[in-house]
Amino acid sequence: MDIQAIRNEAEQAANQAQADFLQKHGEMAYCGFAWVNVYVSRSNSKEAKLLKEIGFKRDYVPKRLNLWSPGDYKGQSMDVLEAGARAYADVLTKHGFRAYMGSRAD
């Protein structure tokens, strides 16, 4: 498994989803945060170590890692951030990870 190639694919998907959302809807005024959660068998497993190589951190929930704000968008629009996190999680899921988008309002 080439984790860097998966990361590149996921980042491209996140960036494209964010750009598509912005083009279609513009920057919404609803502020918040979005991230990707990945469930692992252990936080020191081989798959967890691979995810940590690409920026994932241990979560407060056992056996879960997270990556906040995937993609290049640096604004606060929760809708745009969710689109990017969802696309990133979809790519990880395609490659066999248990990945989900998470979000909350500010």
Side-chain angles (χ1 to χ4, degrees):
M1 174 185 311
D2 183 1
I3 196 67
Q4 294 301 327
I6 293 171
R7 174 189 181 199
N8 292 340
E9 180 183 349
E11 285 183 352
Q12 284 180 326
N15 289 332
Q16 187 62 53
Q18 290 169 345
D20 291 347
F21 187 93
L22 285 167
Q23 183 177 11
K24 185 174 181 180
H25 303 286
E27 190 168 43
M28 310 294 266
Y30 195 68
C31 294
F33 307 94
W35 58 88
V36 177
N37 289 319
V38 179
Y39 291 86
V40 294
S41 58
R42 292 183 337 267
S43 59
N44 65 348
S45 66
K46 182 179 178 182
E47 99 183 303
K49 289 177 183 176
L50 288 172
L51 291 166
K52 288 176 184 177
E53 282 181 31
I54 61 170
F56 278 80
K57 307 271 188 228
R58 287 181 64 180
D59 196 80
Y60 66 93
V61 174
K63 299 180 181 180
R64 189 170 83 181
L65 303 175
N66 63 50
L67 177 70
W68 281 68
S69 300
D72 291 336
Y73 176 73
K74 300 303 178 204
Q76 293 182 329
S77 173
M78 190 166 119
D79 296 310
V80 178
L81 292 168
E82 284 178 335
R86 188 175 297 111
Y88 198 107
D90 288 348
V91 170
L92 291 179
T93 299
K94 180 179 89 172
H95 289 283
F97 292 96
R98 288 181 48 212
Y100 305 92
M101 182 273 298
S103 64
R104 73 174 173 87
D106 188 13

